[in-house]
Amino acid sequence: MADIAIGIHGGCGTLAKDLLSEKDWAETRQHLADSLRAGWTIVKKGGRSVEAVEAAIVVMENSPHFNAGHGAALTENADHELDASIMDGATLGAGAICAVRTIRNPIKAARAVMEKSDLLLITGQPADDFARRVGLDIVPNSYFTTQRRVDALASLKAKAERQEIAMASEAERHGTVGAVALDAKGNLAAGTSTGGFNNKPVGRVGDSPIIGAGTYAANGSCAVSCTGMGEIFIRRVAAYDVSARMRYAGKGLREAADAVIAAVGSHKIGAGLVSVDAGGKVYAPFNTLGMARGWIEADGKVYVATHQDVHEMGAA
Amino acid sequence: MADIAIGIHGGCGTLAKDLLSEKDWAETRQHLADSLRAGWTIVKKGGRSVEAVEAAIVVMENSPHFNAGHGAALTENADHELDASIMDGATLGAGAICAVRTIRNPIKAARAVMEKSDLLLITGQPADDFARRVGLDIVPNSYFTTQRRVDALASLKAKAERQEIAMASEAERHGTVGAVALDAKGNLAAGTSTGGFNNKPVGRVGDSPIIGAGTYAANGSCAVSCTGMGEIFIRRVAAYDVSARMRYAGKGLREAADAVIAAVGSHKIGAGLVSVDAGGKVYAPFNTLGMARGWIEADGKVYVATHQDVHEMGAA
């Protein structure tokens, strides 16, 4: 029996603390803890890490506080296109969908692609059709919309009209959710789900559905889920690069992950990731003001954070 | 001034020699040579490797002998969805499009995404719209169709009805085109373009538009374009893995590329790639019966091949 562990992130585009009420922050922390417990419960019972990753991400997709599923960012057309991927480190199996519009929980569709198709990545309407065919919950696109995102889009469009695009905060542009887990059989898994960024062009695909860029897991090495400006994470093959530095250069998880955040950050973007190694140590570095995140390691204690300060939320 | 070099592949799904006429093989070799010369002319004049890669791929996209552009594989719906990507090793800039239907030369659209947008990957109709907006040639979907692909799809569908799916040859399933180049300033570049595989499900995206999987280039390391069952190349992050093994494990290009073909091949699939290192050595390994390929290195001689035997086609 290996140590078990779970780690999550809710995006590195965290707002400054004073831009939301303490009630909002408390609810965000609670949903992070709920997400962790949903995953932990599975691996604690001997379940598979890939199931834990899915369960943890579903909680964040269902929460309005994160940019995935309900609460996802709005495109330039004021609707939603969602991306997700999942990878099973035991088999190097993976599944992903991008630019989907009606799947309540995109991470479930990613897993279904991995387990119920011969494909790895399906884009657009055929991915929505696939999800319906395998029996996943289908919702109207408006299900994903929250007032906060409508306001954010209006604010961004107003800024764009005033030629202030550069002033759009990281928080208005980015955010993603992800999870990594290690189960008792030593199997690692990772998953990522996103709505992209507010005001994103339709058809734009970032790193979240790209295995190697936004998501990667390989037994004996690590599991990684990334958050930040996806275009840079793709160019840097960021998630796999953590594993490659460990496997080929003999680095430990922290050193490898820090190097990847530095490489991605060298492009002057906000960046973060959550990772776990084969020993069950979770590491969640970021170079931004904050990153919603949390973890449970062998001691079974739930830790969550949105900025620098870490909150212990009791036993798992 | 560095040595200049160009290498190309036309897919590892090469048919057995006796399945096509010698006239067909000769024309295929001629188009490979034309592709090489199109790219070589650019780097010989001091042009950029990324321009050479685009020019070489355009020739193969325009040839009916390769599974990209005109002559691309047909989807299950008997139409075409095309994918392409390009990467500039000097800047780690990259662009890609997937599931496009009307862009005469998808590799040009990939380059336009890199150079004329803030995005990296655009999917579906918005990618077609983008290409039109930046002035690329737009064609009806039927432009891509050749009788050979129509016959191949009919054959596959007939086999499927007889439950002989497993008997579909690699050649009926796969094929892709790609190019790598090194210019006189030492800049590496790589690109890949594909129609996917015959009878592919609509919405399926393989490795060709995925930076890190099907395409990768980084100055000082290597440029790589892959061919084979894309789902496996994505899981193995194949193109970047060649570079990672060189950079982190200190391997040379041949050893790194052979290791990646072995890793991908361990999934019991046909696999190939073309690569070039920072010294201008081209290496194009494959584990199949044949792979259309060619190269010009410092000596300026044009070499092309479809199976084991290599043909010298004169000076560049």
Side-chain angles (χ1 to χ4, degrees):
Chain A
M1 295 285 284
D3 279 341
I4 60 176
I6 185 160
I8 60 173
H9 70 75
C12 68
T14 304
L15 291 165
K17 268 196 181 172
D18 57 3
L19 290 179
L20 289 179
S21 69
E22 177 49 31
K23 177 170 168 295
D24 280 321
W25 290 120
E27 195 171 279
T28 299
R29 290 193 298 268
Q30 187 57 53
H31 290 187
L32 289 168
D34 293 345
S35 165
L36 287 165
R37 287 190 172 97
W40 179 262
T41 301
I42 290 169
V43 286
K44 185 74 184 169
K45 286 182 186 165
R48 292 169 57 209
S49 52
V50 73
E51 290 172 19
V53 161
E54 179 189 90
I57 290 176
V58 163
V59 171
M60 289 187 283
E61 285 178 340
N62 292 347
S63 164
H65 291 289
F66 308 105
N67 176 12
H70 179 62
L74 287 157
T75 72
E76 61 186 351
N77 290 347
D79 57 10
H80 304 272
E81 291 186 348
L82 309 173
D83 306 328
S85 66
I86 196 165
M87 185 163 190
D88 181 347
T91 61
L92 302 184
I97 46 84
C98 63
V100 302
R101 300 174 56 85
T102 63
I103 306 169
R104 180 187 293 266
N105 291 112
I107 194 68
K108 291 189 181 182
R111 186 174 167 201
V113 171
M114 173 169 72
E115 297 183 351
K116 299 179 179 175
S117 86
D118 295 328
L119 308 181
L120 192 142
L121 172 58
I122 310 179
T123 184
Q125 184 64 45
D128 286 285
D129 295 342
F130 169 81
R132 183 188 297 267
R133 217 154 56 229
V134 298
L136 297 182
D137 278 0
I138 301 297
V139 292
N141 193 260
S142 59
Y143 159 78
F144 302 111
T145 307
T146 56
Q147 190 59 44
R148 181 178 153 198
R149 298 293 178 191
V150 171
D151 295 345
L153 181 65
S155 157
L156 271 182
K157 285 188 181 280
K159 282 181 183 174
E161 281 190 12
R162 297 196 306 266
Q163 312 269 315
E164 289 175 22
I165 297 174
M167 299 299 292
S169 72
E170 285 289 318
E172 281 171 302
R173 285 187 56 84
H174 303 298
T176 288
V177 309
V180 294
L182 173 67
D183 66 31
K185 291 183 175 151
N187 294 325
L188 290 162
T192 310
S193 179
T194 192
F197 55 84
N198 285 322
N199 207 21
K200 77 171 175 181
V202 292
R204 178 267 185 184
V205 179
D207 64 317
S208 299
I210 308 297
I211 297 301
T215 302
Y216 188 76
N219 276 11
S221 173
C222 62
V224 180
S225 170
C226 297
T227 165
M229 187 179 165
E231 283 70 15
I232 302 297
F233 283 80
I234 295 174
R235 291 161 63 181
R236 288 290 182 169
V237 201
Y240 178 65
D241 197 35
V242 177
S243 178
R245 287 170 189 264
M246 293 175 72
R247 184 170 168 202
Y248 300 138
K251 304 297 185 191
L253 178 66
R254 280 179 173 255
E255 199 178 350
D258 284 343
V260 170
I261 292 293
V264 172
S266 73
H267 297 262
K268 311 293 178 203
I269 64 157
L273 61 81
V274 66
S275 57
V276 61
D277 66 18
K281 294 305 292 179
V282 175
Y283 186 51
F286 55 96
N287 69 0
T288 49
L289 180 67
M291 177 172 81
R293 63 202 185 277
W295 58 91
I296 311 175
E297 293 173 326
D299 67 4
K301 286 186 184 160
V302 179
Y303 294 95
V304 304
T306 54
H307 297 78
Q308 290 298 336
D309 47 319
V310 173
H311 298 247
E312 196 200 309
M313 306 285 277
Chain B
M1 295 284 284
D3 279 343
I4 59 176
I6 185 160
I8 60 173
H9 71 75
C12 69
T14 305
L15 291 164
K17 268 197 181 172
D18 57 2
L19 290 180
L20 289 180
S21 68
E22 177 48 30
K23 177 172 168 294
D24 280 321
W25 290 120
E27 194 171 280
T28 300
R29 291 193 298 268
Q30 188 56 53
H31 291 187
L32 289 169
D34 294 345
S35 165
L36 286 166
R37 288 191 172 98
W40 180 263
T41 301
I42 290 170
V43 285
K44 185 73 183 171
K45 287 181 188 165
R48 292 169 56 207
S49 53
V50 72
E51 290 172 21
V53 161
E54 179 189 90
I57 290 177
V58 162
V59 171
M60 291 187 283
E61 285 178 340
N62 292 347
S63 165
H65 292 290
F66 308 105
N67 176 11
H70 178 62
L74 288 157
T75 72
E76 62 187 349
N77 289 349
D79 57 12
H80 305 272
E81 290 185 350
L82 309 173
D83 306 327
S85 67
I86 195 164
M87 185 161 189
D88 181 348
T91 61
L92 302 183
I97 47 82
C98 64
V100 302
R101 301 173 57 85
T102 63
I103 306 169
R104 181 189 292 264
N105 291 111
I107 195 67
K108 291 189 181 183
R111 186 173 166 204
V113 172
M114 173 170 71
E115 297 183 351
K116 298 178 179 176
S117 86
D118 295 328
L119 309 181
L120 193 142
L121 172 58
I122 309 179
T123 184
Q125 184 65 45
D128 286 285
D129 295 343
F130 169 81
R132 183 188 297 266
R133 216 154 56 228
V134 298
L136 297 182
D137 277 0
I138 300 298
V139 292
N141 194 259
S142 59
Y143 158 78
F144 301 111
T145 307
T146 56
Q147 191 59 44
R148 179 176 155 200
R149 298 293 178 192
V150 172
D151 295 346
L153 181 64
S155 158
L156 271 182
K157 285 188 179 282
K159 283 180 181 172
E161 280 190 11
R162 298 196 306 268
Q163 314 267 313
E164 289 175 23
I165 297 175
M167 299 299 291
S169 72
E170 285 287 319
E172 281 171 304
R173 285 187 57 85
H174 303 300
T176 286
V177 309
V180 294
L182 173 67
D183 66 31
K185 291 182 176 153
N187 294 325
L188 290 162
T192 310
S193 179
T194 192
F197 56 82
N198 285 320
N199 207 21
K200 77 171 174 181
V202 293
R204 178 265 185 186
V205 179
D207 64 317
S208 298
I210 307 297
I211 296 300
T215 302
Y216 188 75
N219 276 12
S221 173
C222 62
V224 181
S225 169
C226 297
T227 166
M229 187 178 163
E231 282 71 13
I232 301 298
F233 283 80
I234 294 173
R235 292 160 61 181
R236 288 290 182 169
V237 201
Y240 179 65
D241 198 34
V242 177
S243 178
R245 287 170 190 263
M246 292 175 72
R247 184 172 169 199
Y248 301 138
K251 304 297 185 189
L253 178 66
R254 281 177 174 256
E255 199 179 349
D258 284 344
V260 170
I261 292 294
V264 172
S266 73
H267 296 262
K268 311 294 178 201
I269 63 157
L273 61 82
V274 66
S275 57
V276 62
D277 66 16
K281 295 303 293 181
V282 175
Y283 187 51
F286 55 96
N287 68 1
T288 49
L289 180 67
M291 177 172 81
R293 63 202 185 279
W295 58 91
I296 310 175
E297 293 173 327
D299 66 4
K301 285 186 184 159
V302 179
Y303 293 96
V304 304
T306 55
H307 297 78
Q308 290 298 335
D309 48 319
V310 173
H311 298 248
E312 197 200 309
M313 306 286 277

